[in-house]
């Protein structure tokens, strides 16, 4: 059995070699995310808390290479406490499958963790109230890249007023990692004409995703 002295020497060696944070085990990451979801379930930082059934924290692989970030929960998500499980969510699952990515391989969350009334866009104040939760999720999961679904998440996180048409044309950068911006699946459900450009974007994203380290 490793002695306390050996353990301390090992930790000192790691710290002195420039590794400031000891990698958490998969179990730790999963437990940490579960703990935080429970802790924030009672959040009352903004008025959205008053109308919600459940806070929708996020779900997926704690070791996901990509974090997918949508706008805010809808009715189904609010009822079940899970992101992207309504019609747009079903389409998202199909879009991922079309590029050979299983839903449980990625981590999915939203900018706003509670459903806005009548599915309106979350206000800037509501987005900002939730931002620390998102940053914390990113710090725990450490994804290698991002996929932003729609304009709300893209404009907010990239701090820009650029149009989706512009943002999808180039790989963006968020927290020093590549970030792809694609049409929100709800927009694809409303407008058939977006399907072709959305497919092209997904293929570009897939190519990059496949090139990531395992
Ligand atoms: N739309 C979103 O942006 N997020 C969800 O979780 C569901 C629908």
């Amino acid at each position: 059995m490793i002695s306390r002295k050996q353990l301390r020497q090992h930790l000192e060696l790691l710290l002195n070699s420039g590794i400031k944070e000891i990698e958490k085990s998969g179990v730790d990451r999963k437990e940490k995310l579960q703990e935080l979801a429970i802790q924030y379930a009672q959040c009352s930082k903004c008025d959205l808390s008053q109308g919600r059934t459940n806070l929708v924290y996020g779900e997926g692989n704690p070791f996901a290479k990509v974090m997918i970030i949508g706008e805010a929960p809808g009715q189904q998500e609010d009822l079940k406490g899970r992101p992207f499980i309504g019609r747009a969510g079903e389409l998202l699952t199909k879009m991922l499958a079309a590029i050979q990515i299983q839903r449980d391989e990625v981590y999915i969350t939203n900018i706003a963790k509670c459903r806005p009334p009548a599915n309106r866009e979350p206000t800037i104040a509501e987005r900002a109230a939730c931002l620390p939760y998102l940053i914390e999720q990113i710090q725990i999961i450490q994804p290698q890249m991002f996929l932003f679904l729609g304009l709300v998440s893209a404009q907010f996180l990239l701090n820009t007023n650029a149009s989706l048409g512009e943002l999808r044309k180039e790989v963006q950068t968020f927290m020093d990692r590549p970030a792809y911006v694609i049409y929100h699946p709800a927009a694809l459900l409303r407008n058939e004409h977006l399907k072709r450009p959305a497919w092209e974007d997904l293929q570009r994203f897939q190519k990059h995703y496949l090139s990531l380290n395992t």
Side-chain angles (χ1 to χ4, degrees):
M1 202 169 105
I2 187 164
S3 69
R4 288 179 85 82
K5 189 171 165 210
Q6 282 171 316
L7 183 63
R8 201 179 56 241
Q9 281 171 345
H10 180 70
L11 289 175
E12 272 167 6
L13 192 76
L14 281 175
L15 291 171
N16 292 337
S17 67
I19 301 169
K20 294 276 178 274
E21 202 179 312
I22 310 302
E23 172 64 11
K24 292 180 167 60
S25 74
V27 176
D28 283 352
R29 277 192 199 192
K30 196 171 169 195
E31 277 176 2
K32 187 77 202 156
L33 291 165
Q34 279 166 351
E35 266 171 35
L36 293 173
I38 293 168
Q39 187 182 326
Y40 301 143
Q42 307 307 324
C43 174
S44 57
K45 285 207 282 176
C46 78
D47 286 349
L48 294 184
S49 58
Q50 289 166 21
R52 70 165 177 243
T53 314
N54 288 295
L55 180 141
V56 182
Y57 184 67
E59 69 177 23
N61 179 359
F63 279 96
K65 288 190 281 180
V66 60
M67 184 179 285
I68 301 180
I69 307 176
E71 179 178 324
Q75 188 183 31
Q76 292 305 313
E77 291 78 15
D78 172 68
L79 289 175
K80 300 275 163 52
R82 296 179 53 209
F84 281 98
I85 52 161
R87 279 185 71 222
E90 281 168 18
L91 180 57
L92 173 63
T93 307
K94 284 189 194 150
M95 286 159 69
L96 292 173
I99 51 169
Q100 280 84 48
I101 297 178
Q102 298 310 307
R103 200 181 146 112
D104 58 8
E105 192 178 323
V106 302
Y107 191 86
I108 306 177
T109 189
N110 284 301
I111 293 289
K113 309 294 193 210
C114 296
R115 183 190 182 203
N119 295 341
R120 66 157 169 74
E121 283 185 4
T123 63
I124 297 295
E126 290 159 356
R127 298 174 205 189
C130 268
L131 186 60
Y133 300 154
L134 180 69
I135 302 297
E136 195 174 46
Q137 288 170 311
I138 294 168
Q139 283 166 342
I140 295 168
I141 296 163
Q142 299 169 39
Q144 293 179 50
M145 69 189 298
F146 296 100
L147 184 62
F148 296 159
L149 304 180
L151 206 52
V152 167
S153 70
Q155 283 189 336
F156 181 62
L157 295 174
L158 300 171
N159 194 23
T160 176
N161 285 323
S163 68
L164 200 128
E166 287 171 83
L167 294 171
R168 61 178 275 270
K169 281 201 195 118
E170 283 183 24
V171 187
Q172 309 293 326
T173 303
F174 178 62
M175 289 179 77
D176 296 326
R177 296 143 165 115
Y180 281 72
V181 179
I182 65 168
Y183 290 109
H184 194 291
L188 301 181
L189 289 171
R190 286 192 300 265
N191 185 350
E192 282 278 315
H193 299 298
L194 297 179
K195 287 205 168 142
R196 179 181 279 273
W199 175 236
E200 287 163 8
D201 295 346
L202 274 178
Q203 285 176 306
R204 272 197 299 273
F205 164 76
Q206 179 193 32
K207 207 164 160 201
H208 198 144
Y209 182 76
L210 289 174
S211 75
L212 295 175
N213 302 329
T214 47

